[in-house]
mmCIF file of all heavy atoms in Angstrom:
data_model
loop_
_atom_site.group_PDB
_atom_site.id
_atom_site.type_symbol
_atom_site.label_atom_id
_atom_site.label_comp_id
_atom_site.label_asym_id
_atom_site.label_seq_id
_atom_site.Cartn_x
_atom_site.Cartn_y
_atom_site.Cartn_z
ATOM 1 N N ILE A 1 0.832 -1.193 0.020
ATOM 2 C CA ILE A 1 0.000 0.011 -0.015
ATOM 3 C C ILE A 1 0.865 1.254 0.015
ATOM 4 O O ILE A 1 0.601 2.204 -0.693
ATOM 5 C CB ILE A 1 -0.961 0.000 1.204
ATOM 6 C CG1 ILE A 1 -2.035 -1.069 1.007
ATOM 7 C CG2 ILE A 1 -1.602 1.329 1.427
ATOM 8 C CD1 ILE A 1 -2.943 -1.338 2.143
ATOM 9 N N ASP A 2 1.943 1.232 0.775
ATOM 10 C CA ASP A 2 2.866 2.361 0.812
ATOM 11 C C ASP A 2 3.468 2.612 -0.575
ATOM 12 O O ASP A 2 3.561 3.687 -1.044
ATOM 13 C CB ASP A 2 3.941 2.154 1.897
ATOM 14 C CG ASP A 2 3.428 2.257 3.305
ATOM 15 O OD1 ASP A 2 2.314 2.837 3.460
ATOM 16 O OD2 ASP A 2 4.082 1.729 4.218
ATOM 17 N N GLU A 3 3.968 1.500 -1.221
ATOM 18 C CA GLU A 3 4.547 1.607 -2.526
ATOM 19 C C GLU A 3 3.555 2.113 -3.522
ATOM 20 O O GLU A 3 3.894 2.943 -4.372
ATOM 21 C CB GLU A 3 5.080 0.242 -2.978
ATOM 22 C CG GLU A 3 6.367 -0.191 -2.302
ATOM 23 C CD GLU A 3 6.809 -1.511 -2.833
ATOM 24 O OE1 GLU A 3 7.288 -1.576 -4.029
ATOM 25 O OE2 GLU A 3 6.766 -2.554 -2.097
ATOM 26 N N ILE A 4 2.327 1.591 -3.432
ATOM 27 C CA ILE A 4 1.254 1.998 -4.392
ATOM 28 C C ILE A 4 0.962 3.480 -4.209
ATOM 29 O O ILE A 4 0.824 4.243 -5.212
ATOM 30 C CB ILE A 4 -0.001 1.124 -4.231
ATOM 31 C CG1 ILE A 4 0.292 -0.307 -4.711
ATOM 32 C CG2 ILE A 4 -1.204 1.713 -4.978
ATOM 33 C CD1 ILE A 4 -0.798 -1.327 -4.382
ATOM 34 N N GLU A 5 0.880 3.958 -2.964
ATOM 35 C CA GLU A 5 0.586 5.362 -2.698
ATOM 36 C C GLU A 5 1.666 6.255 -3.305
ATOM 37 O O GLU A 5 1.362 7.273 -3.916
ATOM 38 C CB GLU A 5 0.453 5.603 -1.220
ATOM 39 C CG GLU A 5 -0.873 5.129 -0.635
ATOM 40 C CD GLU A 5 -0.953 5.363 0.868
ATOM 41 O OE1 GLU A 5 0.060 5.725 1.507
ATOM 42 O OE2 GLU A 5 -2.037 5.163 1.443
ATOM 43 N N LYS A 6 2.922 5.903 -3.083
ATOM 44 C CA LYS A 6 4.066 6.672 -3.639
ATOM 45 C C LYS A 6 3.952 6.770 -5.135
ATOM 46 O O LYS A 6 4.179 7.832 -5.749
ATOM 47 C CB LYS A 6 5.394 6.102 -3.182
ATOM 48 C CG LYS A 6 5.733 6.330 -1.768
ATOM 49 C CD LYS A 6 7.041 5.654 -1.412
ATOM 50 C CE LYS A 6 7.281 5.787 0.108
ATOM 51 N NZ LYS A 6 8.506 5.053 0.474
ATOM 52 N N LEU A 7 3.687 5.605 -5.764
ATOM 53 C CA LEU A 7 3.608 5.591 -7.233
ATOM 54 C C LEU A 7 2.382 6.372 -7.725
ATOM 55 O O LEU A 7 2.492 7.105 -8.755
ATOM 56 C CB LEU A 7 3.521 4.133 -7.705
ATOM 57 C CG LEU A 7 3.780 3.830 -9.181
ATOM 58 C CD1 LEU A 7 5.104 4.461 -9.663
ATOM 59 C CD2 LEU A 7 3.779 2.378 -9.457
ATOM 60 N N LEU A 8 1.269 6.276 -7.010
ATOM 61 C CA LEU A 8 0.081 7.006 -7.458
ATOM 62 C C LEU A 8 0.300 8.537 -7.315
ATOM 63 O O LEU A 8 -0.311 9.287 -8.105
ATOM 64 C CB LEU A 8 -1.139 6.579 -6.582
ATOM 65 C CG LEU A 8 -1.747 5.234 -6.990
ATOM 66 C CD1 LEU A 8 -2.897 4.894 -6.012
ATOM 67 C CD2 LEU A 8 -2.258 5.239 -8.396
ATOM 68 N N ASP A 9 1.115 8.949 -6.358
ATOM 69 C CA ASP A 9 1.382 10.387 -6.160
ATOM 70 C C ASP A 9 2.014 10.961 -7.489
ATOM 71 O O ASP A 9 1.833 12.151 -7.782
ATOM 72 C CB ASP A 9 2.316 10.646 -5.001
ATOM 73 C CG ASP A 9 1.603 10.481 -3.663
ATOM 74 O OD1 ASP A 9 0.355 10.508 -3.655
ATOM 75 O OD2 ASP A 9 2.297 10.296 -2.648
ATOM 76 N N LYS A 10 2.761 10.152 -8.177
ATOM 77 C CA LYS A 10 3.385 10.583 -9.467
ATOM 78 C C LYS A 10 2.473 10.268 -10.637
ATOM 79 O O LYS A 10 2.412 11.052 -11.577
ATOM 80 C CB LYS A 10 4.736 9.849 -9.679
ATOM 81 C CG LYS A 10 5.772 10.137 -8.614
ATOM 82 C CD LYS A 10 7.032 9.306 -8.966
ATOM 83 C CE LYS A 10 8.049 9.358 -7.837
ATOM 84 N NZ LYS A 10 9.106 8.408 -8.035
ATOM 85 N N TYR A 11 1.841 9.084 -10.560
ATOM 86 C CA TYR A 11 1.051 8.606 -11.683
ATOM 87 C C TYR A 11 -0.143 9.408 -12.028
ATOM 88 O O TYR A 11 -0.415 9.800 -13.193
ATOM 89 C CB TYR A 11 0.696 7.143 -11.445
ATOM 90 C CG TYR A 11 0.012 6.431 -12.625
ATOM 91 C CD1 TYR A 11 0.702 6.145 -13.777
ATOM 92 C CD2 TYR A 11 -1.324 6.115 -12.564
ATOM 93 C CE1 TYR A 11 0.080 5.544 -14.879
ATOM 94 C CE2 TYR A 11 -1.962 5.502 -13.595
ATOM 95 C CZ TYR A 11 -1.257 5.180 -14.753
ATOM 96 O OH TYR A 11 -1.858 4.575 -15.834
ATOM 97 N N ILE A 12 -0.951 9.741 -11.025
ATOM 98 C CA ILE A 12 -2.202 10.435 -11.236
ATOM 99 C C ILE A 12 -2.015 11.817 -11.890
ATOM 100 O O ILE A 12 -2.607 12.127 -12.887
ATOM 101 C CB ILE A 12 -3.076 10.496 -9.940
ATOM 102 C CG1 ILE A 12 -3.565 9.104 -9.639
ATOM 103 C CG2 ILE A 12 -4.257 11.481 -10.131
ATOM 104 C CD1 ILE A 12 -4.259 8.991 -8.266
ATOM 105 N N PRO A 13 -1.096 12.677 -11.360
ATOM 106 C CA PRO A 13 -0.883 13.977 -12.037
ATOM 107 C C PRO A 13 -0.317 13.808 -13.435
ATOM 108 O O PRO A 13 -0.675 14.566 -14.348
ATOM 109 C CB PRO A 13 0.142 14.670 -11.142
ATOM 110 C CG PRO A 13 0.080 13.988 -9.819
ATOM 111 C CD PRO A 13 -0.345 12.593 -10.091
ATOM 112 N N ALA A 14 0.510 12.758 -13.629
ATOM 113 C CA ALA A 14 1.071 12.554 -14.979
ATOM 114 C C ALA A 14 0.001 12.167 -15.985
ATOM 115 O O ALA A 14 -0.030 12.579 -17.124
ATOM 116 C CB ALA A 14 2.185 11.538 -14.941
ATOM 117 N N VAL A 15 -0.952 11.345 -15.534
ATOM 118 C CA VAL A 15 -2.091 10.925 -16.420
ATOM 119 C C VAL A 15 -2.953 12.143 -16.727
ATOM 120 O O VAL A 15 -3.352 12.296 -17.865
ATOM 121 C CB VAL A 15 -2.911 9.794 -15.740
ATOM 122 C CG1 VAL A 15 -4.186 9.553 -16.520
ATOM 123 C CG2 VAL A 15 -2.087 8.521 -15.650
ATOM 124 N N GLU A 16 -3.198 12.974 -15.740
ATOM 125 C CA GLU A 16 -4.024 14.181 -16.006
ATOM 126 C C GLU A 16 -3.323 15.097 -16.967
ATOM 127 O O GLU A 16 -3.975 15.650 -17.855
ATOM 128 C CB GLU A 16 -4.299 14.877 -14.668
ATOM 129 C CG GLU A 16 -5.306 14.162 -13.769
ATOM 130 C CD GLU A 16 -5.493 14.817 -12.385
ATOM 131 O OE1 GLU A 16 -4.725 15.760 -12.072
ATOM 132 O OE2 GLU A 16 -6.344 14.357 -11.651
ATOM 133 N N GLN A 17 -1.998 15.255 -16.783
ATOM 134 C CA GLN A 17 -1.267 16.111 -17.742
ATOM 135 C C GLN A 17 -1.269 15.521 -19.146
ATOM 136 O O GLN A 17 -1.424 16.231 -20.109
ATOM 137 C CB GLN A 17 0.195 16.258 -17.231
ATOM 138 C CG GLN A 17 1.013 17.181 -18.125
ATOM 139 C CD GLN A 17 2.455 17.283 -17.621
ATOM 140 O OE1 GLN A 17 2.811 16.728 -16.609
ATOM 141 N NE2 GLN A 17 3.228 18.038 -18.355
ATOM 142 N N MET A 18 -1.130 14.179 -19.222
ATOM 143 C CA MET A 18 -1.179 13.537 -20.561
ATOM 144 C C MET A 18 -2.516 13.703 -21.180
ATOM 145 O O MET A 18 -2.656 13.919 -22.351
ATOM 146 C CB MET A 18 -0.827 12.038 -20.395
ATOM 147 C CG MET A 18 -0.790 11.295 -21.719
ATOM 148 S SD MET A 18 0.355 11.950 -22.948
ATOM 149 C CE MET A 18 1.909 11.563 -22.238
ATOM 150 N N HIS A 19 -3.596 13.631 -20.378
ATOM 151 C CA HIS A 19 -4.957 13.785 -20.888
ATOM 152 C C HIS A 19 -5.079 15.224 -21.523
ATOM 153 O O HIS A 19 -5.605 15.366 -22.593
ATOM 154 C CB HIS A 19 -5.978 13.613 -19.763
ATOM 155 C CG HIS A 19 -7.340 13.837 -20.196
ATOM 156 N ND1 HIS A 19 -8.066 12.977 -20.995
ATOM 157 C CD2 HIS A 19 -8.224 14.929 -19.944
ATOM 158 C CE1 HIS A 19 -9.271 13.448 -21.232
ATOM 159 N NE2 HIS A 19 -9.406 14.616 -20.601
ATOM 160 N N THR A 20 -4.566 16.216 -20.818
ATOM 161 C CA THR A 20 -4.642 17.596 -21.330
ATOM 162 C C THR A 20 -3.808 17.706 -22.638
ATOM 163 O O THR A 20 -4.260 18.345 -23.585
ATOM 164 C CB THR A 20 -4.046 18.598 -20.277
ATOM 165 O OG1 THR A 20 -4.812 18.405 -19.062
ATOM 166 C CG2 THR A 20 -4.138 20.002 -20.743
ATOM 167 N N THR A 21 -2.642 17.145 -22.621
ATOM 168 C CA THR A 21 -1.734 17.153 -23.822
ATOM 169 C C THR A 21 -2.424 16.497 -24.997
ATOM 170 O O THR A 21 -2.418 17.021 -26.114
ATOM 171 C CB THR A 21 -0.412 16.496 -23.486
ATOM 172 O OG1 THR A 21 0.203 17.155 -22.389
ATOM 173 C CG2 THR A 21 0.533 16.545 -24.691
ATOM 174 N N LEU A 22 -3.012 15.334 -24.765
ATOM 175 C CA LEU A 22 -3.627 14.581 -25.868
ATOM 176 C C LEU A 22 -4.870 15.241 -26.422
ATOM 177 O O LEU A 22 -5.191 15.045 -27.577
ATOM 178 C CB LEU A 22 -3.939 13.117 -25.434
ATOM 179 C CG LEU A 22 -2.692 12.280 -25.182
ATOM 180 C CD1 LEU A 22 -3.083 10.852 -24.748
ATOM 181 C CD2 LEU A 22 -1.773 12.236 -26.363
ATOM 182 N N LYS A 23 -5.552 16.030 -25.605
ATOM 183 C CA LYS A 23 -6.723 16.785 -26.123
ATOM 184 C C LYS A 23 -6.257 17.719 -27.238
ATOM 185 O O LYS A 23 -6.938 17.869 -28.242
ATOM 186 C CB LYS A 23 -7.322 17.635 -24.994
ATOM 187 C CG LYS A 23 -8.354 17.005 -24.147
ATOM 188 C CD LYS A 23 -8.848 18.059 -23.219
ATOM 189 C CE LYS A 23 -9.966 17.660 -22.353
ATOM 190 N NZ LYS A 23 -10.365 18.707 -21.438
ATOM 191 N N LYS A 24 -5.082 18.313 -27.069
ATOM 192 C CA LYS A 24 -4.539 19.243 -28.035
ATOM 193 C C LYS A 24 -4.319 18.520 -29.391
ATOM 194 O O LYS A 24 -4.536 19.096 -30.460
ATOM 195 C CB LYS A 24 -3.205 19.813 -27.538
ATOM 196 C CG LYS A 24 -2.509 20.731 -28.511
ATOM 197 C CD LYS A 24 -1.197 21.224 -27.928
ATOM 198 C CE LYS A 24 -0.468 22.048 -28.997
ATOM 199 N NZ LYS A 24 0.903 22.398 -28.538
ATOM 200 N N TYR A 25 -3.846 17.249 -29.277
ATOM 201 C CA TYR A 25 -3.511 16.523 -30.519
ATOM 202 C C TYR A 25 -4.662 15.598 -30.957
ATOM 203 O O TYR A 25 -4.533 14.836 -31.865
ATOM 204 C CB TYR A 25 -2.280 15.672 -30.305
ATOM 205 C CG TYR A 25 -1.082 16.499 -29.997
ATOM 206 C CD1 TYR A 25 -0.479 16.569 -28.714
ATOM 207 C CD2 TYR A 25 -0.494 17.387 -30.982
ATOM 208 C CE1 TYR A 25 0.583 17.357 -28.445
ATOM 209 C CE2 TYR A 25 0.561 18.170 -30.694
ATOM 210 C CZ TYR A 25 1.123 18.181 -29.444
ATOM 211 O OH TYR A 25 2.198 18.957 -29.171
ATOM 212 N N ASN A 26 -5.841 15.723 -30.288
ATOM 213 C CA ASN A 26 -6.975 14.887 -30.649
ATOM 214 C C ASN A 26 -7.341 14.962 -32.134
ATOM 215 O O ASN A 26 -7.655 13.977 -32.776
ATOM 216 C CB ASN A 26 -8.141 15.182 -29.767
ATOM 217 C CG ASN A 26 -9.287 14.141 -29.954
ATOM 218 O OD1 ASN A 26 -8.994 12.993 -30.143
ATOM 219 N ND2 ASN A 26 -10.466 14.600 -29.866
ATOM 220 N N VAL A 27 -7.284 16.135 -32.690
ATOM 221 C CA VAL A 27 -7.608 16.357 -34.124
ATOM 222 C C VAL A 27 -6.623 15.551 -34.953
ATOM 223 O O VAL A 27 -7.031 14.845 -35.921
ATOM 224 C CB VAL A 27 -7.602 17.825 -34.477
ATOM 225 C CG1 VAL A 27 -7.757 18.010 -35.942
ATOM 226 C CG2 VAL A 27 -8.686 18.567 -33.719
ATOM 227 N N ALA A 28 -5.348 15.621 -34.610
ATOM 228 C CA ALA A 28 -4.349 14.854 -35.377
ATOM 229 C C ALA A 28 -4.614 13.369 -35.282
ATOM 230 O O ALA A 28 -4.526 12.637 -36.247
ATOM 231 C CB ALA A 28 -2.951 15.195 -34.849
ATOM 232 N N PHE A 29 -4.960 12.889 -34.080
ATOM 233 C CA PHE A 29 -5.279 11.465 -33.904
ATOM 234 C C PHE A 29 -6.508 11.061 -34.721
ATOM 235 O O PHE A 29 -6.523 10.047 -35.410
ATOM 236 C CB PHE A 29 -5.516 11.077 -32.456
ATOM 237 C CG PHE A 29 -4.304 11.169 -31.576
ATOM 238 C CD1 PHE A 29 -4.374 11.713 -30.325
ATOM 239 C CD2 PHE A 29 -3.073 10.675 -32.022
ATOM 240 C CE1 PHE A 29 -3.253 11.813 -29.534
ATOM 241 C CE2 PHE A 29 -1.951 10.740 -31.201
ATOM 242 C CZ PHE A 29 -2.046 11.321 -29.974
ATOM 243 N N THR A 30 -7.514 11.906 -34.667
ATOM 244 C CA THR A 30 -8.762 11.635 -35.419
ATOM 245 C C THR A 30 -8.511 11.573 -36.923
ATOM 246 O O THR A 30 -8.949 10.700 -37.615
ATOM 247 C CB THR A 30 -9.812 12.731 -35.107
ATOM 248 O OG1 THR A 30 -9.963 12.799 -33.681
ATOM 249 C CG2 THR A 30 -11.159 12.418 -35.766
ATOM 250 N N ILE A 31 -7.753 12.582 -37.422
ATOM 251 C CA ILE A 31 -7.436 12.605 -38.850
ATOM 252 C C ILE A 31 -6.610 11.393 -39.231
ATOM 253 O O ILE A 31 -6.906 10.715 -40.254
ATOM 254 C CB ILE A 31 -6.692 13.882 -39.213
ATOM 255 C CG1 ILE A 31 -7.689 15.099 -39.133
ATOM 256 C CG2 ILE A 31 -6.102 13.826 -40.624
ATOM 257 C CD1 ILE A 31 -7.029 16.461 -39.267
ATOM 258 N N THR A 32 -5.585 11.059 -38.433
ATOM 259 C CA THR A 32 -4.727 9.918 -38.699
ATOM 260 C C THR A 32 -5.568 8.630 -38.686
ATOM 261 O O THR A 32 -5.423 7.793 -39.536
ATOM 262 C CB THR A 32 -3.585 9.832 -37.669
ATOM 263 O OG1 THR A 32 -2.866 11.084 -37.740
ATOM 264 C CG2 THR A 32 -2.678 8.675 -37.994
ATOM 265 N N THR A 33 -6.444 8.487 -37.676
ATOM 266 C CA THR A 33 -7.298 7.266 -37.633
ATOM 267 C C THR A 33 -8.189 7.213 -38.870
ATOM 268 O O THR A 33 -8.316 6.127 -39.463
ATOM 269 C CB THR A 33 -8.174 7.342 -36.338
ATOM 270 O OG1 THR A 33 -7.316 7.484 -35.210
ATOM 271 C CG2 THR A 33 -9.019 6.133 -36.203
ATOM 272 N N SER A 34 -8.752 8.312 -39.257
ATOM 273 C CA SER A 34 -9.618 8.344 -40.467
ATOM 274 C C SER A 34 -8.781 7.961 -41.696
ATOM 275 O O SER A 34 -9.262 7.164 -42.519
ATOM 276 C CB SER A 34 -10.230 9.769 -40.619
ATOM 277 O OG SER A 34 -10.894 9.838 -41.829
ATOM 278 N N GLU A 35 -7.606 8.551 -41.818
ATOM 279 C CA GLU A 35 -6.768 8.221 -42.963
ATOM 280 C C GLU A 35 -6.381 6.745 -42.996
ATOM 281 O O GLU A 35 -6.365 6.096 -43.999
ATOM 282 C CB GLU A 35 -5.504 9.117 -42.957
ATOM 283 C CG GLU A 35 -5.795 10.559 -43.322
ATOM 284 C CD GLU A 35 -4.568 11.474 -43.172
ATOM 285 O OE1 GLU A 35 -3.512 11.018 -42.658
ATOM 286 O OE2 GLU A 35 -4.682 12.637 -43.549
ATOM 287 N N ASN A 36 -6.075 6.239 -41.779
ATOM 288 C CA ASN A 36 -5.707 4.825 -41.653
ATOM 289 C C ASN A 36 -6.855 3.915 -42.084
ATOM 290 O O ASN A 36 -6.659 2.920 -42.764
ATOM 291 C CB ASN A 36 -5.267 4.488 -40.267
ATOM 292 C CG ASN A 36 -3.859 4.965 -39.976
ATOM 293 O OD1 ASN A 36 -3.108 5.308 -40.877
ATOM 294 N ND2 ASN A 36 -3.513 5.080 -38.680
ATOM 295 N N LYS A 37 -8.086 4.293 -41.705
ATOM 296 C CA LYS A 37 -9.255 3.490 -42.113
ATOM 297 C C LYS A 37 -9.406 3.484 -43.623
ATOM 298 O O LYS A 37 -9.653 2.473 -44.259
ATOM 299 C CB LYS A 37 -10.558 4.054 -41.435
ATOM 300 C CG LYS A 37 -10.713 3.638 -40.011
ATOM 301 C CD LYS A 37 -11.969 4.227 -39.435
ATOM 302 C CE LYS A 37 -12.068 3.943 -37.925
ATOM 303 N NZ LYS A 37 -13.275 4.567 -37.339
ATOM 304 N N LYS A 38 -9.273 4.691 -44.210
ATOM 305 C CA LYS A 38 -9.374 4.789 -45.677
ATOM 306 C C LYS A 38 -8.306 3.977 -46.384
ATOM 307 O O LYS A 38 -8.564 3.265 -47.328
ATOM 308 C CB LYS A 38 -9.272 6.251 -46.106
ATOM 309 C CG LYS A 38 -10.467 7.129 -45.793
ATOM 310 C CD LYS A 38 -10.256 8.565 -46.167
ATOM 311 C CE LYS A 38 -11.361 9.460 -45.702
ATOM 312 N NZ LYS A 38 -11.117 10.859 -45.911
ATOM 313 N N LEU A 39 -7.084 4.038 -45.825
ATOM 314 C CA LEU A 39 -6.000 3.289 -46.434
ATOM 315 C C LEU A 39 -6.199 1.779 -46.264
ATOM 316 O O LEU A 39 -5.942 1.018 -47.193
ATOM 317 C CB LEU A 39 -4.654 3.692 -45.786
ATOM 318 C CG LEU A 39 -4.112 5.046 -46.188
ATOM 319 C CD1 LEU A 39 -2.901 5.412 -45.333
ATOM 320 C CD2 LEU A 39 -3.791 5.105 -47.675
ATOM 321 N N ARG A 40 -6.710 1.342 -45.093
ATOM 322 C CA ARG A 40 -7.018 -0.071 -44.930
ATOM 323 C C ARG A 40 -8.070 -0.551 -45.932
ATOM 324 O O ARG A 40 -7.985 -1.606 -46.497
ATOM 325 C CB ARG A 40 -7.482 -0.368 -43.444
ATOM 326 C CG ARG A 40 -6.332 -0.599 -42.504
ATOM 327 C CD ARG A 40 -6.804 -1.178 -41.187
ATOM 328 N NE ARG A 40 -7.675 -0.303 -40.437
ATOM 329 C CZ ARG A 40 -7.227 0.641 -39.585
ATOM 330 N NH1 ARG A 40 -5.938 0.807 -39.413
ATOM 331 N NH2 ARG A 40 -8.079 1.347 -38.913
ATOM 332 N N LYS A 41 -9.128 0.294 -46.060
ATOM 333 C CA LYS A 41 -10.196 -0.044 -47.017
ATOM 334 C C LYS A 41 -9.644 -0.132 -48.452
ATOM 335 O O LYS A 41 -9.934 -1.091 -49.161
ATOM 336 C CB LYS A 41 -11.331 1.017 -46.968
ATOM 337 C CG LYS A 41 -12.540 0.637 -47.752
ATOM 338 C CD LYS A 41 -13.678 1.658 -47.544
ATOM 339 C CE LYS A 41 -14.873 1.239 -48.382
ATOM 340 N NZ LYS A 41 -15.982 2.113 -48.133
ATOM 341 N N LYS A 42 -8.853 0.822 -48.811
ATOM 342 C CA LYS A 42 -8.209 0.803 -50.158
ATOM 343 C C LYS A 42 -7.322 -0.407 -50.326
ATOM 344 O O LYS A 42 -7.317 -1.071 -51.360
ATOM 345 C CB LYS A 42 -7.421 2.068 -50.418
ATOM 346 C CG LYS A 42 -6.891 2.200 -51.842
ATOM 347 C CD LYS A 42 -6.397 3.544 -52.135
ATOM 348 C CE LYS A 42 -6.007 3.614 -53.612
ATOM 349 N NZ LYS A 42 -5.857 4.964 -54.047
ATOM 350 N N ASN A 43 -6.564 -0.728 -49.302
ATOM 351 C CA ASN A 43 -5.740 -1.944 -49.306
ATOM 352 C C ASN A 43 -6.514 -3.189 -49.513
ATOM 353 O O ASN A 43 -6.162 -4.093 -50.289
ATOM 354 C CB ASN A 43 -4.912 -1.995 -48.016
ATOM 355 C CG ASN A 43 -3.829 -3.049 -48.062
ATOM 356 O OD1 ASN A 43 -3.356 -3.421 -49.143
ATOM 357 N ND2 ASN A 43 -3.447 -3.580 -46.901
#
């Protein structure tokens, strides 16, 4: 429990920061996913 608490003290803020960062790039992910679907269909 002590080890898990120490790890969560770092992990939770890092996940929140990553969530904020990924929101910024969500359009890029969406476009890339869409392009990948089109390429798979063409393939």
Side-chain angles (χ1 to χ4, degrees):
I1 289 173
D2 290 340
E3 286 182 69
I4 291 170
E5 283 178 353
K6 287 178 187 175
L7 195 54
L8 285 176
D9 286 342
K10 297 176 188 172
Y11 184 70
I12 291 173
V15 169
E16 289 174 353
Q17 182 182 357
M18 181 58 69
H19 178 72
T20 304
T21 302
L22 292 181
K23 272 184 175 178
K24 177 182 174 187
Y25 298 110
N26 189 34
V27 173
F29 291 137
T30 305
I31 290 170
T32 303
T33 302
S34 172
E35 287 174 352
N36 285 342
K37 283 181 184 177
K38 288 176 186 174
L39 288 172
R40 274 195 293 276
K41 187 175 182 177
K42 186 169 186 162
N43 188 27

